[in-house]
Amino acid sequence: MALIKIELPDGSTNEVESGVTPYDVALTIGEGLARQSIAARFEGDLIDLTSPLEGSGRLALITQNSPEALEIVRHSCAHLMAQAVKEIYGNEVQVTIGPVIKDGFYYDFYSESKKFVPEDFPVIEAKMAELAKADLAVRREEMSRSDASELFHGLGEDYKVELIEDLDVETVSLYRQGDFVDLCRGPHVPRTGLLKVFKLTSLAGAYWRGDEKNAMLQRVYATAFQNKKELKAHLHRLEEARKRDHRKLGKELDLFSFSEEAGGGLVLWHPKGAMLRTIIEDFERKEHLKRGYEIVVGPQILKTELWKMSGHYDNYRENMYFTEVDEQGYGIKPMNCLAHMLIYKSKPRSYRNLPVRYFELGTVHRHEKSGVLHGLLRVRGFTQDDAHIICRPDQIDAEVKNIMGFVQDVAGIFGFDYVMELSTRPEKSIGSDADWEQATHALQGALEGSGQPYTLNEGDGAFYGPKIDVKLKDALDREWQCATIQCDFTLPERFDLTYVGADGEKHRPVMLHRVIVGSIERFVGVLIEHYAGSFPLWLSPVQAVVLNVTDSQADYAQQVFEQLREADVRVELDIRNEKLGFKIREAQMAKIPYMLVIGDREMESQTVAPRFRDGKSLETMSVADFIGTVRAESAACK
RNA sequence: GCCCACAUAGCUCAGUCGGUAGAGCGCAUCCUUGGUAAGGAUGAGGUCACCAGUUCAAAUCUGGUUGUGGGCUCCA
């Protein structure tokens, strides 16, 4: 037998016979290590603990505590779940795929007759536990594609056969545990006994291979962890997210609602929610003016011919609402760009006056599929902080950089981190190859120049141009699509936008579509979850509430309330005949930043006693001082 | 749009086997004037989402519609 050299992470080198497994190597180091190991990394690749090592190289054992371990455990759990399902339901159910995802894994099953229900979960979990306890060996096997195809055909697993037929390889790997066999690349844990903590979580429909033309499968979501403590922590995180759910908080804080009578996905903004979005809108106008944008306003409906000219009619019609006025067809705008182009076209433009930056808090309507509506995060009518920058090609770089700086500033003000993505030409698109290349190149250049990392999203651009998407990361580290920057050579062409250059000739400008927070609706939803409803002072719809202790201070409380309102503090007055504790509790649950307690002491000294919503009290102070405090704190946040 | 589930008072939720509805909170009135997270009493409030069907009888069973939730596909 030939000898090979195995280098371990601590730098030591073992000389072993070719064909030994990582498990054997672990044993030579210690029995405890061997017992703890679940897989290995050899020359950078993940392999099974039982895979024979054929050549020299660097080997690292993956133990239950390694960061990579969890993914392997979850993947093996997916197999365990499929095995359990097959043992319980037999040929009534076919297996398809079962990958690992963030926070767990799922397995998609196909069945004509079996409909999974949550009541099946304990049964499946019990079978999984039984199979895990049996500590079955998990064995890797390789066979030719045709043999594997025949094997699964014999087992009646049509979806596996289809997967195998589509693979572009000679041999495929299979994993067996007990009577169960699954097509899989691996690696897996060596024994089912290593799978201890798992839990089925939910059910959903999913199309085979994600294509809505294909059969609907039944997806069983589940999760697995190394120990019970981690599972508990995970369930706790889910609970936290539930508490922050903007739909729940939106109701509790009386910010907005939806009505069956009005229609799905159409938001009704209550006074406090409307206040919140107004604050954001005022902030947006100010920030845009500061950065050289001009505010414009376009109409809600535009003639259908115009949507045909823009390409929206051909590419976006299924998302649009149409109406007819005096036998003339109109489309309700799903985007704001058309009006902005018409404004540009209203007079001749000189190269000296470019770029023009038109900003509009534009309300658009899109017919989203009913199943995708989701609180404020996905609606059918929403307002974008939309701008169109019409510029010379040589100005694209600088403009994109400015926009990225704008995004950075705004994200910082609201306390978000973010990640960026570049999306390239989709299948359904308009414009020439050359334009697409130039536009994509411009965006990529700006991204490279920003020094910020970004990922590439092939084929995910808008139909008229490539785009940069910015995803904000909230307090729970979840990502939300908000800002987007899109480069467009096509619409200026279609609308024959021109400017007169230094040479006196007409030239074609470029248009950048961009939003910073995206949709105000979605952004408010994200903010609610990000802040868990406790908005910073400058965003709070109600900043302070004046509370009297007894009726005898009602007049003074009223005076304080009016003084604050005069000073533009968003304030409420609560002089109801209730005990102070009761009023404090209500204000606390409404997450109002400041409660101003007015008793005899305050009335006598003409002061207020502020209490912050975290329970801490400030020194008793004059009304004027309190106004100063609110102003200073609001300014500091913004 | 597709799969699965759900829809009972303003809110959160009970309601068994089919026999025309309950609680807590909130709301109204009264008592209570109480210093930092719920004082007490009384009362009002429901076409059980909507439309059909089965049945002597439907919140309950069946079908459809609308809406909501979890996903899929799509997306600001």
Side-chain angles (χ1 to χ4, degrees):
Chain A
M1 261 296 192
L3 288 180
I4 55 173
K5 280 187 186 161
I6 300 299
E7 192 190 329
L8 295 166
D10 66 1
S12 67
T13 305
N14 283 12
E15 220 163 70
V16 298
E17 280 182 13
S18 172
V20 304
T21 67
Y23 181 77
D24 298 327
V25 177
L27 263 184
T28 66
I29 302 168
E31 219 170 287
L33 179 67
R35 220 179 13 248
Q36 288 249 325
S37 298
I38 62 164
R41 191 178 279 285
F42 185 65
E43 286 293 287
D45 295 328
L46 286 172
I47 59 168
D48 289 306
L49 209 53
T50 51
S51 295
L53 299 170
E54 309 284 1
S56 298
R58 284 169 299 120
L59 177 76
L61 290 157
I62 293 172
T63 68
Q64 288 177 29
N65 300 321
S66 309
E68 302 104 318
L70 191 55
E71 205 167 305
I72 295 165
V73 164
R74 285 176 173 169
H75 193 179
S76 295
C77 269
H79 279 218
L80 187 68
M81 181 162 86
Q83 181 182 15
V85 165
K86 287 298 286 184
E87 295 228 342
I88 298 167
Y89 305 102
N91 290 336
E92 200 182 346
V93 175
Q94 287 192 42
V95 294
T96 69
I97 55 163
V100 173
I101 51 170
K102 188 179 192 295
D103 294 333
F105 62 92
Y106 66 79
Y107 209 107
D108 284 348
F109 299 100
Y110 173 79
S111 180
E112 291 273 346
S113 48
K114 171 63 192 167
K115 294 269 178 271
F116 287 99
V117 291
E119 287 69 44
D120 294 328
F121 289 0
V123 180
I124 298 169
E125 281 169 354
K127 178 59 85 174
M128 287 169 73
E130 181 191 321
L131 293 166
K133 204 172 169 210
D135 203 16
L136 304 167
V138 180
R139 293 187 205 289
R140 183 189 173 92
E141 233 173 80
E142 293 192 356
M143 61 172 67
S144 71
R145 211 168 58 129
S146 57
D147 284 355
S149 175
E150 209 168 300
L151 171 72
F152 283 104
H153 187 72
L155 291 170
E157 299 287 2
D158 304 334
Y159 288 88
K160 286 291 175 194
V161 173
E162 190 182 325
L163 282 176
I164 292 166
E165 306 271 303
D166 283 358
L167 283 176
D168 192 23
V169 291
E170 285 302 306
T171 58
V172 299
S173 57
L174 310 176
Y175 279 80
R176 274 185 201 277
Q177 53 200 60
D179 297 330
F180 179 72
V181 57
D182 201 352
L183 173 78
C184 188
R185 184 179 293 156
H188 280 283
V189 297
R191 304 182 318 276
T192 57
L194 290 160
L195 308 173
K196 294 195 177 79
V197 183
F198 41 79
K199 185 176 168 57
L200 273 51
T201 51
S202 61
L203 286 169
Y207 299 110
W208 167 237
R209 296 190 154 179
D211 189 330
E212 58 188 333
K213 291 194 232 8
N214 288 343
M216 182 61 72
L217 307 173
Q218 299 182 67
R219 177 168 296 178
V220 181
Y221 282 92
T223 190
F225 287 92
Q226 301 288 15
N227 55 57
K228 288 211 168 101
K229 203 174 139 196
E230 285 171 23
L231 173 64
K232 221 177 133 186
H234 171 70
L235 296 175
H236 182 73
R237 268 198 306 282
L238 291 184
E239 182 60 32
E240 267 309 300
R242 245 197 310 280
K243 276 191 212 153
R244 285 167 178 258
D245 191 316
H246 75 281
R247 294 165 298 184
K248 180 173 174 287
L249 286 169
K251 200 181 278 180
E252 285 172 7
L253 302 178
D254 199 14
L255 300 175
F256 61 87
S257 65
F258 292 90
S259 157
E260 207 171 311
E261 294 163 283
L266 301 170
V267 188
L268 302 169
W269 289 96
H270 296 15
K272 285 180 183 140
M275 187 72 241
L276 177 55
R277 61 171 286 166
T278 302
I279 295 162
I280 295 166
E281 288 168 352
D282 288 347
F283 166 77
E284 291 256 22
R285 287 191 197 95
K286 205 178 87 200
E287 291 299 314
H288 278 84
L289 291 174
K290 225 156 81 176
R291 288 172 168 80
Y293 289 81
E294 297 172 290
I295 296 174
V296 296
V297 178
Q300 235 18 76
I301 58 175
L302 297 93
K303 285 184 180 174
T304 305
E305 284 81 69
L306 208 61
W307 297 110
K308 284 182 179 161
M309 203 202 298
S310 68
H312 285 86
Y313 193 82
D314 286 335
N315 291 280
Y316 206 73
R317 188 177 25 185
E318 61 273 25
N319 285 297
M320 287 179 65
Y321 298 100
F322 289 94
T323 184
E324 205 181 285
V325 182
D326 293 340
E327 291 171 38
Q328 168 66 55
Y330 285 83
I332 299 172
K333 66 172 173 176
M335 297 181 192
N336 301 300
C337 35
L338 295 205
H340 295 190
M341 283 192 296
L342 295 181
I343 295 168
Y344 178 89
K345 265 180 78 124
S346 66
K347 64 178 184 185
R349 303 284 173 172
S350 155
Y351 75 101
R352 293 174 189 277
N353 300 326
L354 297 185
V356 299
R357 305 187 188 96
Y358 290 147
F359 172 66
E360 176 173 10
L361 283 162
T363 301
V364 296
H365 288 83
R366 299 183 184 175
H367 180 229
E368 301 290 350
K369 291 178 181 177
S370 59
V372 307
L373 302 177
H374 182 93
L376 292 179
L377 301 179
R378 196 72 186 274
V379 294
R380 285 184 172 152
F382 56 100
T383 301
Q384 295 179 303
D385 60 337
D386 204 1
H388 292 92
I389 296 168
I390 300 166
C391 65
R392 307 190 305 260
D394 65 279
Q395 293 172 317
I396 298 175
D397 257 25
E399 289 304 311
V400 173
K401 274 184 195 137
N402 283 343
I403 296 164
M404 295 201 316
F406 198 170
V407 170
Q408 189 166 13
D409 290 350
V410 172
I413 284 161
F414 291 96
F416 291 108
D417 271 341
Y418 59 89
V419 293
M420 297 192 289
E421 278 175 12
L422 176 63
S423 296
T424 57
R425 186 172 193 169
E427 273 181 39
K428 198 174 177 182
S429 61
I430 52 180
S432 72
D433 290 352
D435 284 349
W436 272 88
E437 199 170 312
Q438 192 186 348
T440 308
H441 192 75
L443 291 184
Q444 192 155 15
L447 277 170
E448 302 278 353
S450 76
Q452 306 247 33
Y454 67 94
T455 53
L456 194 64
N457 228 339
E458 300 267 11
D460 213 27
F463 69 83
Y464 47 76
K467 59 176 182 173
I468 294 171
D469 284 324
V470 180
K471 293 189 170 164
L472 299 183
K473 292 175 84 166
D474 75 4
L476 294 185
D477 221 31
R478 296 170 302 182
E479 291 181 6
W480 306 97
Q481 161 80 64
C482 290
T484 164
I485 308 170
Q486 305 176 351
C487 194
D488 186 352
F489 287 84
T490 311
L491 280 178
E493 183 82 35
R494 288 188 169 226
F495 277 74
D496 192 30
L497 302 189
T498 58
Y499 65 88
V500 178
D503 55 6
E505 299 292 319
K506 279 187 177 176
H507 297 272
R508 185 75 70 211
V510 178
M511 183 156 81
L512 298 173
H513 310 244
R514 50 104 285 189
V515 290
I516 303 296
V517 307
S519 134
I520 302 287
E521 279 74 4
R522 173 178 291 179
F523 191 63
V524 167
V526 172
L527 285 180
I528 292 169
E529 306 214 354
H530 181 56
Y531 293 123
S534 289
F535 302 108
L537 190 66
W538 76 279
L539 281 175
S540 289
V542 180
Q543 298 175 304
V545 56
V546 178
L547 312 172
N548 58 335
V549 178
T550 69
D551 285 349
S552 60
Q553 304 99 24
D555 286 347
Y556 178 59
Q558 176 89 38
Q559 269 177 48
V560 170
F561 164 73
E562 276 164 21
Q563 280 179 66
L564 291 172
R565 200 166 55 175
E566 282 285 296
D568 290 333
V569 175
R570 295 187 291 274
V571 63
E572 281 184 350
L573 178 65
D574 185 357
I575 49 174
R576 289 175 302 171
N577 177 13
E578 295 290 351
K579 293 180 99 168
L580 181 61
F582 180 87
K583 297 192 207 179
I584 295 265
R585 179 168 190 272
E586 274 200 359
Q588 189 86 38
M589 292 197 309
K591 301 180 193 286
I592 297 170
Y594 285 108
M595 292 155 234
L596 302 179
V597 178
I598 308 278
D600 285 337
R601 294 197 294 271
E602 288 74 24
M603 189 161 72
E604 226 160 87
S605 58
Q606 294 285 296
T607 55
V608 294
R611 173 196 200 274
F612 201 68
R613 65 183 155 204
D614 65 2
K616 291 194 189 99
S617 292
L618 298 183
E619 294 285 299
T620 297
M621 59 176 80
S622 71
V623 176
D625 284 350
F626 178 71
I627 291 166
T629 303
V630 169
R631 284 189 180 154
E633 196 182 331
S634 300
C637 292
K638 194 158 41 156

